C-alpha cells in the first residue's frame, strides 16, 4: 500500500518506519523543516533504540521517503495517518488544533477518496470532527475517517509496534475495516489481535488505558507514603502484592511520579472532558493530585535531610529523561526538581546519557547562568555534591561504584527516586539512603543537616 504519515515525532516516525519495514511504500511528512532535513540524511530527530537503522535501511530500499510538502506527499496515498501532537491547553483540554489543521489541508489536497487514520490521542468525538471537515471537500469526495490510537511505549516503541498487544480500530465502515485489517495483518501473524469498535469507543479506550496505568502508579505512590508512616519498606509490599496474578508486577513501582508526553496530558484531558459534560472523575482527580505531590517529593526530601534552606548547596542528579530509553523530557519529574532547586539557589550538576541536550535547550545555554551544569560523566557530576538524587533509572546506574561515589561527594546522601538500590548495600558504603516509601535511619541523617 502507499501510506502517508503526517507528523514525524515519536509516534509518526515509528509508524512510518514499521509500515515501510513490512514492504509498504511510505512517505513521512512533517511541517518542521529541521526534522525533515535530518530525516532525509537518515538521522532520527528523536532518540528511540533501533530506529535509525530501520530508517536508513528503508530509505535505501526505496520504501521510505520524507517530505515537508503535504500537498504533494498525499497524492496517490491509499491511507493517510495523522500522528501530530495533542498537547495540553492551559485549562488541561487536549489541543486538537494540529489535527484539525491537517484535516483542513487534506480536504483541500486529496484528489481521490482516501482512508484517513487518526493516530493521535484525542478526545472522544475528534475522528467525527475530522470526518465533518473532510466531508466538506470541494470535490465532493467520500473520504473515510477511522480512529486508531497508538499504545507504543517510548524506549521500546519498535517492539511495541511490531508486536502489539492489540490494535484498536474505531470504524463502523466495512471498507475501512477491510483496509485496516489488511494493513495490520503482518503485525499479528500468530493470532489476530485487531479489535474493531466504534470511533468514539476507540478514542475512549486510549484514554482509559492511560488513566488506568497512571492510577496503578499513583496508588503505589500513595501506599509508599503510607508505608513510611509505619516504617514499612514498600518494596517488600510491592513484591508481595505483585505475586497475585490479578494484580501483576507491572506499573506498581513507587517512585518520584510519572511524566512524559502521555500520562500527564491525557489525564488532564480526561478531567477536562469530564468537566465539559458537567461530571466528575474523583478517582482520576486523586491520581493527578498524588502525582503532583510525588514530583515534589524529591525536593521535599532534600529539605528534610539537609535543612529547609538549601541555598549554596550542590545537588547531583542522575537521569533527566522522564524514563529510561528515551530523550523525552516532557513533564519529566527531573524538571520539577530542577525548577525547585534553581529557585532555592542550589547548584545542580546533572548527568543523563541521552536527554541532556533537551534539558540544555529547555533551560537555555549556558544553562541557567551556570547554576545548572550538565556533565558527560556520571561520576564527574558527583564532585563536591551534598546529595545525589537518582531520578531516571537508566541501566548504567543500577550497579555503580559506591566507594568511588563516596570519595567524590562532599556529603554522603543518596535520594533514590526509583527505589533502585538495596538500602543496606548503600548504607554499608557509608551513605545515608532515602527511597520512596522506605524509611531512613534518623541517626544517619542528623550529621548531614547544617548547623542551625
Ligand atoms: N509519544 C508517545 O509515547 C505516544 C504514545 C502513544 C500516543 N501518543 C500520541 O500520539 C500523538 C503524537 O505524539 P508524539 O509524541 O509523536 O508527538 P511529537 O510532538 O513528538 O510529534 C508530532 C509531530 O507532528 C508535527 N506536526 C505538527 N503539525 C503538523 C502539520 N500540520 N503537518 C505536518 N506535521 C506536523 C510536529 O512538527 C512533530 O514533529 C499525540 O497525540 C500523543 O498523545 C504518543
Amino acid at each position: 500500500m502507499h501510506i502517508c504519515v503526517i507528523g514525524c515525532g515519536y509516534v509518526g516516525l515509528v509508524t512510518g518506519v514499521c509500515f515501510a519495514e513490512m514492504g509498504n511504500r511510505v512517505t513521512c511528512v512533517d511541517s518542521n523543516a529541521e526534522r525533515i532535513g535530518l530525516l532525509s540524511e537518515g538521522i532520527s530527530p528523536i532518540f528511540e533504540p533501533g530506529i535509525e537503522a530501520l530508517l536508513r535501511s528503508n530509505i535505501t530500499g526505496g520504501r521510505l521517503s520524507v517530505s515537508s510538502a503535504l500537498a504533494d506527499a498525499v497524492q496517490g496515498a491509499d491511507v493517510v495517518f495523522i500522528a501530530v501532537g495533542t498537547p495540553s491547553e492551559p485549562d488541561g483540554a487536549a489541543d486538537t488544533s494540529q489535527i484539525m489543521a491537517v484535516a483542513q489541508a487534506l480536504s483541500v489536497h486529496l484528489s481521490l477518496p482516501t482512508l484517513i487514520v487518526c493516530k493521535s490521542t484525542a478526545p472522544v468525538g475528534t475522528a467525527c470532527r475530522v470526518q465533518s471537515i473532510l466531508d466538506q471537500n470541494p470535490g465532493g469526495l467520500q473520504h473515510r475517517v477511522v480512529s486508531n490510537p497508538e499504545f507504543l511505549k517510548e524506549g521500546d516503541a519498535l517492539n511495541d509496534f511490531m508486536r502489539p498487544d492489540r490494535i484498536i480500530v474505531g470504524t463502523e465502515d466495512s471498507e475501512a475495516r477491510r483496509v485496516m485489517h489488511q494493513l495490520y495483518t503482518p503485525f499479528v501473524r500468530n493470532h489476530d489481535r485487531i479489535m474493531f469498535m466504534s470511533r468514539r469507543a476507540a478514542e475512549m479506550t486510549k484514554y482509559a488505558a492511560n488513566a488506568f496505568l497512571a492510577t496503578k502508579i499513583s496508588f503505589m505512590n500513595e501506599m509508599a507514603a503510607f508505608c513510611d508512616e509505619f516504617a514499612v519498606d514498600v518494596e517488600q509490599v510491592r513484591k508481595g502484592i505483585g505475586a497475585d496474578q490479578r494484580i501483576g508486577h507491572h506499573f506498581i513501582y513507587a517512585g518520584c511520579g510519572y511524566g512524559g508526553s502521555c500520562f500527564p496530558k491525557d489525564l488532564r484531558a480526561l478531567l477536562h472532558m469530564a468537566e465539559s459534560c458537567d461530571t466528575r472523575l474523583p478517582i482520576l482527580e486523586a491520581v493527578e493530585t498524588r502525582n503532583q505531590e510525588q514530583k515534589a517529593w524529591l525536593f521535599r526530601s532534600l529539605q528534610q535531610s539537609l535543612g529547609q534552606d538549601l541555598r549554596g548547596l550542590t545537588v547531583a542528579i542522575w537521569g533527566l529523561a522522564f524514563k529510561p530509553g528515551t530523550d523525552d523530557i516532557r513533564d519529566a519529574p527531573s524538571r520539577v526538581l530542577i525548577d525547585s532547586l534553581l529557585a532555592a539557589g542550589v547548584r545542580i550538576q546533572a548527568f543523563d546519557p541521552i536527554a541532556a541536550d533537551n534539558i540544555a535547550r529547555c533551560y537555555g545555554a549556558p544553562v541557567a547562568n551556570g547554576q545548572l551544569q550538565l556533565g558527560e560523566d556520571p561520576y564527574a557530576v558527583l564532585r563536591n555534591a551534598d546529595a545525589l538524587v537518582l531520578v531516571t533509572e537508566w541501566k548504567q546506574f543500577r550497579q555503580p561504584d559506591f566507594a568511588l561515589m563516596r570519595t567524590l561527594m562532599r556529603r554522603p546522601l543518596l535520594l533514590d527516586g526509583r527505589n533502585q538500590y538495596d538500602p543496606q548495600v548503600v548504607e554499608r558504603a557509608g551513605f545515608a539512603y532515602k527511597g520512596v516509601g522506605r524509611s531512613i535511619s534518623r541517626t544517619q541523617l542528623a550529621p548531614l543537616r547544617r548547623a542551625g
Side-chain angles (χ1 to χ4, degrees):
M1 275 194 235
H2 181 190
I3 298 168
C4 181
V5 182
I6 302 175
C8 298
Y10 293 87
V11 167
L13 189 56
V14 170
T15 303
V17 161
C18 290
F19 278 128
E21 183 68 8
M22 291 298 180
N24 297 288
R25 189 153 58 89
V26 179
T27 310
C28 287
V29 178
D30 204 289
S31 51
N32 181 328
E34 197 187 329
R35 283 200 158 184
I36 290 300
L38 288 169
L39 285 167
S40 60
E41 289 170 32
I43 301 167
S44 171
I46 54 155
F47 176 82
E48 183 60 48
I51 193 129
E52 221 161 69
L54 278 193
L55 172 69
R56 287 182 186 173
S57 65
N58 281 290
I59 292 177
T60 312
R63 292 178 298 276
L64 184 69
S65 58
V66 297
S67 169
S68 50
L70 181 144
D72 297 337
V74 296
Q75 298 311 321
D78 301 300
V79 187
V80 175
F81 280 85
I82 305 179
V84 295
T86 46
S88 284
E89 291 196 30
D91 64 357
D95 175 356
T96 55
S97 60
Q98 294 179 29
I99 297 179
M100 297 310 154
V102 171
Q104 291 288 357
L106 291 176
S107 82
V108 173
H109 296 299
L110 286 172
S111 49
L112 291 170
T114 307
L115 179 64
I116 317 295
V117 184
C118 294
K119 214 169 212 347
S120 303
T121 306
V124 174
T126 301
C128 293
R129 286 175 62 207
V130 170
Q131 181 78 65
S132 308
I133 292 172
L134 282 153
D135 285 347
Q136 287 160 26
N137 72 83
L141 301 170
Q142 299 256 301
H143 303 299
R144 294 177 167 87
V145 177
V146 310
S147 168
N148 168 221
E150 181 50 55
F151 294 90
L152 62 76
K153 301 181 290 296
E154 285 176 25
D156 201 19
L158 292 173
N159 189 40
D160 285 342
F161 201 96
M162 291 292 195
R163 279 172 283 274
D165 290 336
R166 78 308 209 180
I167 292 157
I168 301 286
V169 180
T171 181
E172 273 143 13
D173 180 281
S174 57
E175 176 57 14
R177 199 182 153 122
R178 187 192 65 73
V179 177
M180 292 301 283
H181 199 274
Q182 185 184 337
L183 199 56
Y184 275 113
T185 296
F187 298 91
V188 291
R189 278 179 58 83
N190 56 358
H191 68 278
D192 196 340
R193 279 156 283 150
I194 308 174
M195 299 168 74
F196 291 97
M197 55 183 74
S198 73
R199 291 193 286 211
R200 295 168 73 82
E203 289 164 336
M204 187 64 97
T205 300
K206 173 64 192 172
Y207 279 109
N210 276 358
F212 186 73
L213 294 172
T215 303
K216 284 184 90 172
I217 296 172
S218 275
F219 169 81
M220 213 54 203
N221 284 334
E222 188 153 297
M223 288 313 297
F226 201 48
C227 282
D228 263 342
E229 296 295 323
F230 291 88
V232 167
D233 183 346
V234 74
E235 276 298 290
Q236 295 179 6
V237 176
R238 173 182 69 76
K239 289 175 192 154
I241 67 168
D244 183 330
Q245 287 183 12
R246 293 168 304 174
I247 296 174
H249 289 289
H250 295 294
F251 279 81
I252 55 166
Y253 288 83
C256 52
Y258 58 76
S261 64
C262 293
F263 289 3
K265 88 167 167 63
D266 292 348
L267 255 282
R268 288 192 289 266
L270 259 186
L271 293 175
H272 188 273
M273 278 160 66
E275 220 178 282
S276 63
C277 60
D278 241 353
T279 186
R280 283 192 52 203
L281 299 169
I283 292 179
L284 299 184
E285 286 169 17
V287 168
E288 166 78 354
T289 306
R290 160 56 64 189
N291 197 51
Q292 279 168 16
E293 283 169 15
Q294 209 64 22
K295 284 180 170 176
W297 178 88
L298 294 170
F299 183 72
R300 240 187 11 253
S301 297
L302 280 173
Q303 285 186 314
Q304 278 164 6
S305 304
L306 296 169
Q308 282 298 307
D309 182 5
L310 299 175
R311 215 168 337 139
L313 296 186
T314 298
V315 168
I317 299 178
W318 276 3
L320 299 164
F322 86 90
K323 67 172 187 176
T326 182
D327 60 350
D328 200 339
I329 57 160
R330 289 178 278 187
D331 272 318
S334 66
R335 288 172 62 181
V336 175
L337 175 64
I338 290 172
D339 290 343
S340 303
L341 292 173
L342 289 177
V346 175
R347 193 182 137 81
I348 305 165
Q349 300 174 169
F351 169 79
D352 187 285
I354 299 292
D357 286 352
N358 282 342
I359 286 286
R361 264 191 290 277
C362 172
Y363 286 91
V367 188
N369 300 322
Q371 204 185 332
L372 168 57
Q373 303 270 334
L374 297 165
E376 291 184 356
D377 176 83
Y379 292 98
V381 301
L382 300 180
R383 210 169 287 283
N384 295 325
D386 295 286
L388 165 63
V389 187
L390 177 89
V391 183
T392 317
E393 67 280 31
W394 287 94
K395 282 201 186 89
Q396 63 177 273
F397 301 144
R398 279 199 195 159
Q399 216 154 39
D401 183 342
F402 289 115
L404 172 61
M405 291 159 66
R406 178 71 190 83
T407 62
L408 293 168
M409 291 175 64
R410 186 157 48 208
R411 284 183 233 213
L413 173 63
L414 201 169
L415 252 189
D416 182 355
R418 299 293 175 182
N419 287 354
Q420 280 292 284
Y421 300 119
D422 179 339
Q424 288 182 353
V425 170
V426 177
E427 285 173 2
R428 263 202 306 275
F431 282 90
Y433 173 87
K434 191 171 166 75
V436 188
R438 316 179 93 182
S439 35
I440 179 169
S441 95
R442 287 175 196 285
T443 46
Q444 276 190 299
L445 271 188
L448 292 170
R449 287 177 176 277
R450 291 207 281 202

